[in-house]
Coordinates of all heavy atoms in Angstrom, one line a residue:
S88 N 11.7 33.4 2.7 CA 13.1 33.3 2.8 C 13.7 32.2 1.9 O 14.9 32.0 1.9 CB 13.4 32.9 4.3 OG 12.8 31.7 4.6
L89 N 12.9 31.6 1.1 CA 13.4 30.6 0.2 C 14.1 31.2 -1.0 O 13.7 32.3 -1.4 CB 12.3 29.7 -0.3 CG 11.6 28.7 0.6 CD1 10.4 28.0 0.0 CD2 12.6 27.7 1.1
P90 N 15.2 30.7 -1.5 CA 15.8 31.2 -2.6 C 14.9 31.2 -3.8 O 14.1 30.3 -4.0 CB 17.0 30.3 -2.9 CG 17.3 29.6 -1.6 CD 15.9 29.5 -0.9
L91 N 15.0 32.3 -4.7 CA 14.2 32.3 -5.9 C 15.1 31.8 -7.0 O 16.2 32.4 -7.3 CB 13.8 33.7 -6.2 CG 13.0 33.9 -7.5 CD1 11.7 33.1 -7.6 CD2 12.7 35.4 -7.7
R92 N 14.8 30.6 -7.6 CA 15.6 29.9 -8.5 C 15.3 30.4 -9.9 O 14.2 30.1 -10.4 CB 15.5 28.4 -8.4 CG 15.9 28.0 -6.9 CD 15.4 26.5 -6.7 NE 14.0 26.4 -6.9 CZ 13.3 25.2 -6.9 NH1 14.0 24.1 -6.7 NH2 12.0 25.2 -7.0
L93 N 16.2 31.1 -10.6 CA 15.9 31.6 -12.0 C 16.7 30.7 -13.0 O 17.9 30.8 -13.0 CB 16.3 33.0 -12.1 CG 16.3 33.7 -13.4 CD1 14.9 33.7 -14.0 CD2 16.8 35.1 -13.4
G94 N 16.0 30.0 -13.8 CA 16.6 29.1 -14.7 C 16.8 29.7 -16.1 O 16.0 30.7 -16.5
H95 N 17.7 29.2 -16.9 CA 17.9 29.6 -18.3 C 18.7 28.6 -19.0 O 19.6 27.9 -18.4 CB 18.6 31.0 -18.4 CG 20.0 30.9 -18.1 ND1 21.0 30.9 -19.0 CD2 20.6 30.9 -16.8 CE1 22.2 30.9 -18.4 NE2 22.0 30.8 -17.1
P96 N 18.4 28.3 -20.3 CA 19.2 27.3 -21.0 C 20.4 27.9 -21.6 O 21.4 27.2 -21.9 CB 18.2 26.7 -22.0 CG 17.3 27.9 -22.3 CD 17.2 28.6 -21.0
W97 N 20.4 29.2 -21.9 CA 21.6 29.9 -22.4 C 21.3 31.4 -22.5 O 20.2 31.8 -22.6 CB 21.9 29.4 -23.9 CG 20.8 29.4 -24.8 CD1 19.9 28.3 -25.0 CD2 20.4 30.4 -25.8 NE1 18.9 28.7 -25.9 CE2 19.2 29.9 -26.4 CE3 20.9 31.6 -26.1 CZ2 18.6 30.6 -27.4 CZ3 20.2 32.4 -27.1 CH2 19.1 31.9 -27.7
A98 N 22.4 32.1 -22.3 CA 22.4 33.6 -22.4 C 21.6 34.4 -21.3 O 21.7 35.6 -21.3 CB 21.9 34.0 -23.8
A99 N 20.8 33.7 -20.5 CA 20.1 34.4 -19.4 C 19.4 35.7 -20.0 O 18.6 35.6 -20.9 CB 21.0 34.7 -18.3
L100 N 19.7 36.8 -19.4 CA 19.1 38.1 -19.8 C 20.1 38.9 -20.6 O 20.1 40.1 -20.6 CB 18.6 38.9 -18.6 CG 17.6 40.0 -18.9 CD1 16.4 39.6 -19.7 CD2 17.2 40.7 -17.5
G101 N 21.1 38.2 -21.2 CA 22.1 38.9 -22.0 C 22.9 39.9 -21.2 O 23.3 39.5 -20.0
D102 N 23.2 41.0 -21.7 CA 24.0 42.0 -20.9 C 23.3 42.6 -19.8 O 23.9 43.4 -19.0 CB 24.6 43.1 -21.8 CG 23.6 43.8 -22.6 OD1 22.4 43.5 -22.4 OD2 24.0 44.7 -23.4
L103 N 22.0 42.3 -19.6 CA 21.3 42.8 -18.4 C 21.3 41.8 -17.3 O 20.8 42.0 -16.2 CB 19.8 43.0 -18.8 CG 19.5 44.2 -19.7 CD1 18.1 44.3 -20.0 CD2 20.0 45.5 -19.1
T104 N 22.0 40.6 -17.5 CA 22.1 39.6 -16.4 C 22.8 40.1 -15.2 O 22.2 40.0 -14.1 CB 22.8 38.4 -17.0 OG1 22.2 37.9 -18.1 CG2 22.8 37.3 -15.9
V105 N 23.9 40.7 -15.3 CA 24.6 41.2 -14.2 C 23.9 42.4 -13.5 O 23.7 42.4 -12.2 CB 26.1 41.7 -14.5 CG1 26.7 42.4 -13.4 CG2 26.9 40.4 -14.9
P106 N 23.4 43.4 -14.2 CA 22.5 44.4 -13.6 C 21.3 43.8 -12.8 O 21.0 44.3 -11.8 CB 22.1 45.3 -14.7 CG 23.2 45.1 -15.8 CD 23.6 43.7 -15.7
L107 N 20.7 42.8 -13.4 CA 19.6 42.2 -12.7 C 20.0 41.6 -11.4 O 19.3 41.8 -10.4 CB 19.0 41.1 -13.6 CG 17.8 40.2 -13.0 CD1 16.6 41.1 -12.8 CD2 17.5 39.0 -13.9
L108 N 21.1 40.8 -11.4 CA 21.5 40.2 -10.2 C 21.9 41.2 -9.1 O 21.7 41.1 -7.9 CB 22.6 39.2 -10.4 CG 22.2 38.0 -11.3 CD1 23.5 37.2 -11.6 CD2 21.2 37.2 -10.7
R109 N 22.6 42.3 -9.6 CA 23.1 43.3 -8.6 C 21.9 44.1 -8.0 O 21.9 44.3 -6.8 CB 24.1 44.2 -9.4 CG 25.4 43.6 -9.6 CD 26.3 44.6 -10.4 NE 27.7 44.0 -10.5 CZ 28.6 44.6 -11.3 NH1 28.4 45.7 -12.0 NH2 29.8 44.1 -11.3
R110 N 21.0 44.4 -8.9 CA 19.8 45.2 -8.4 C 19.0 44.3 -7.4 O 18.6 44.8 -6.4 CB 18.9 45.6 -9.5 CG 19.4 46.8 -10.3 CD 18.9 48.1 -9.6 NE 17.5 48.2 -9.5 CZ 16.7 48.6 -10.4 NH1 17.1 49.0 -11.6 NH2 15.4 48.7 -10.1
W111 N 18.9 43.1 -7.7 CA 18.2 42.2 -6.8 C 18.8 42.1 -5.4 O 18.2 42.2 -4.4 CB 18.0 40.8 -7.4 CG 17.1 39.9 -6.6 CD1 17.5 39.1 -5.5 CD2 15.7 39.8 -6.7 NE1 16.4 38.5 -5.0 CE2 15.3 38.9 -5.7 CE3 14.8 40.3 -7.5 CZ2 14.0 38.5 -5.5 CZ3 13.4 39.9 -7.4 CH2 13.1 39.1 -6.3
D112 N 20.2 41.9 -5.4 CA 20.9 41.8 -4.2 C 20.8 43.1 -3.4 O 20.7 43.0 -2.1 CB 22.4 41.5 -4.4 CG 22.6 40.1 -5.0 OD1 21.6 39.3 -4.9 OD2 23.7 39.8 -5.4
E113 N 20.8 44.2 -4.0 CA 20.6 45.5 -3.3 C 19.2 45.7 -2.8 O 19.1 46.2 -1.6 CB 21.0 46.6 -4.3 CG 22.4 46.7 -4.7 CD 22.7 47.7 -5.9 OE1 21.7 48.3 -6.3 OE2 23.8 47.8 -6.3
E114 N 18.2 45.4 -3.5 CA 16.9 45.7 -3.2 C 16.1 44.6 -2.4 O 15.2 44.8 -1.7 CB 16.0 46.0 -4.4 CG 16.6 47.2 -5.2 CD 15.9 47.5 -6.5 OE1 14.8 46.9 -6.7 OE2 16.4 48.3 -7.3
H115 N 16.6 43.3 -2.5 CA 16.0 42.2 -1.9 C 17.0 41.3 -1.2 O 17.1 40.1 -1.6 CB 15.1 41.4 -2.9 CG 14.2 42.3 -3.6 ND1 13.0 42.8 -3.1 CD2 14.2 42.8 -4.9 CE1 12.4 43.6 -4.0 NE2 13.1 43.6 -5.1
P116 N 17.8 41.8 -0.3 CA 18.8 40.9 0.3 C 18.3 39.8 1.1 O 19.1 38.8 1.4 CB 19.6 41.9 1.2 CG 18.6 43.0 1.5 CD 17.7 43.1 0.3
D117 N 17.0 39.8 1.5 CA 16.5 38.7 2.3 C 16.0 37.5 1.4 O 15.7 36.5 2.0 CB 15.3 39.2 3.1 CG 14.2 39.9 2.2 OD1 14.6 40.5 1.2 OD2 13.0 39.8 2.6
V118 N 16.0 37.7 0.1 CA 15.5 36.6 -0.8 C 16.7 36.3 -1.8 O 16.8 37.1 -2.8 CB 14.2 36.9 -1.5 CG1 13.8 35.8 -2.4 CG2 13.1 37.3 -0.5
P119 N 17.5 35.3 -1.6 CA 18.6 35.0 -2.5 C 18.0 34.7 -3.9 O 17.0 33.9 -4.1 CB 19.3 33.8 -1.9 CG 18.9 33.8 -0.5 CD 17.5 34.4 -0.4
L120 N 18.6 35.3 -5.0 CA 18.2 35.0 -6.3 C 19.3 34.1 -6.9 O 20.5 34.5 -7.1 CB 18.1 36.3 -7.2 CG 17.7 36.1 -8.6 CD1 16.4 35.3 -8.8 CD2 17.7 37.4 -9.4
E121 N 19.0 32.9 -7.2 CA 20.0 31.9 -7.8 C 19.8 31.7 -9.3 O 18.7 31.3 -9.7 CB 19.8 30.6 -7.0 CG 20.0 30.6 -5.5 CD 19.8 29.3 -4.9 OE1 19.4 28.3 -5.6 OE2 20.1 29.1 -3.7
L122 N 20.8 32.1 -10.0 CA 20.8 31.9 -11.5 C 21.3 30.5 -11.8 O 22.4 30.2 -11.5 CB 21.6 33.0 -12.2 CG 21.6 33.0 -13.7 CD1 20.2 33.3 -14.2 CD2 22.6 33.9 -14.2
R123 N 20.5 29.7 -12.5 CA 20.9 28.3 -12.8 C 20.7 28.1 -14.3 O 19.6 28.3 -14.9 CB 20.0 27.3 -12.0 CG 20.1 27.5 -10.5 CD 19.2 26.4 -9.8 NE 19.3 26.5 -8.4 CZ 18.8 25.7 -7.5 NH1 18.1 24.7 -8.0 NH2 18.9 25.8 -6.2
R124 N 21.8 27.6 -14.9 CA 21.7 27.2 -16.3 C 21.3 25.7 -16.3 O 21.9 24.9 -15.7 CB 23.0 27.4 -17.1 CG 23.0 26.8 -18.5 CD 24.3 26.9 -19.2 NE 24.5 25.8 -20.1 CZ 25.6 25.5 -20.8 NH1 26.6 26.3 -20.7 NH2 25.6 24.5 -21.6
V125 N 20.2 25.4 -17.0 CA 19.7 24.1 -17.1 C 19.5 23.8 -18.6 O 18.7 24.4 -19.3 CB 18.4 23.9 -16.3 CG1 17.9 22.4 -16.4 CG2 18.5 24.3 -14.9
D126 N 20.2 22.7 -19.1 CA 20.0 22.4 -20.5 C 18.8 21.6 -20.7 O 18.7 20.4 -20.8 CB 21.3 21.6 -20.9 CG 22.5 22.4 -20.9 OD1 22.5 23.6 -21.3 OD2 23.6 21.9 -20.4
D127 N 17.7 22.4 -20.9 CA 16.4 21.8 -21.0 C 15.5 22.8 -21.7 O 15.7 24.0 -21.6 CB 15.8 21.4 -19.6 CG 14.4 21.0 -19.6 OD1 14.2 19.8 -20.0 OD2 13.5 21.8 -19.2
R128 N 14.5 22.3 -22.4 CA 13.6 23.3 -23.2 C 13.0 24.3 -22.3 O 12.8 25.5 -22.7 CB 12.5 22.5 -23.9 CG 11.5 23.3 -24.7 CD 12.2 24.1 -25.8 NE 12.8 23.2 -26.8 CZ 13.5 23.7 -27.8 NH1 13.6 25.0 -28.0 NH2 14.1 22.9 -28.7
T129 N 12.6 24.0 -21.1 CA 12.0 25.0 -20.2 C 13.0 25.3 -19.0 O 12.5 25.8 -18.0 CB 10.7 24.4 -19.6 OG1 11.0 23.3 -18.8 CG2 9.7 24.1 -20.7
A130 N 14.3 25.0 -19.2 CA 15.3 25.3 -18.2 C 15.0 24.8 -16.8 O 15.2 25.4 -15.8 CB 15.5 26.8 -18.1
G131 N 14.3 23.6 -16.8 CA 14.0 22.9 -15.5 C 12.7 23.3 -14.9 O 12.3 22.8 -13.8
L132 N 11.9 24.2 -15.6 CA 10.7 24.7 -15.0 C 9.7 23.6 -14.8 O 9.0 23.5 -13.8 CB 10.2 25.8 -15.9 CG 9.1 26.7 -15.3 CD1 9.6 27.4 -14.0 CD2 8.7 27.8 -16.3
T133 N 9.5 22.8 -15.9 CA 8.4 21.8 -15.8 C 8.9 20.6 -14.9 O 8.0 19.9 -14.4 CB 8.1 21.2 -17.2 OG1 9.4 20.7 -17.8 CG2 7.5 22.3 -18.1
Q134 N 10.2 20.5 -14.6 CA 10.6 19.5 -13.6 C 10.6 20.0 -12.2 O 10.9 19.2 -11.3 CB 12.0 19.0 -14.0 CG 12.1 18.1 -15.2 CD 12.0 18.9 -16.5 OE1 12.4 20.1 -16.6 NE2 11.4 18.3 -17.5
G135 N 10.4 21.3 -12.0 CA 10.3 21.8 -10.7 C 11.7 22.1 -10.1 O 11.8 22.4 -8.9

Side-chain angles (χ1 to χ4, degrees):
S88 61
L89 289 175
L91 178 59
R92 303 166 299 172
L93 174 59
H95 71 102
W97 50 275
L100 197 54
D102 57 0
L103 292 177
T104 303
V105 171
L107 174 69
L108 296 175
R109 286 178 175 171
R110 281 277 303 274
W111 186 272
D112 289 347
E113 292 170 0
E114 299 175 11
H115 309 284
D117 56 326
V118 182
L120 178 60
E121 298 179 353
L122 184 66
R123 301 184 179 183
R124 174 183 150 184
V125 182
D126 294 319
D127 174 75
R128 177 62 61 183
T129 65
L132 195 57
T133 55
Q134 286 76 31

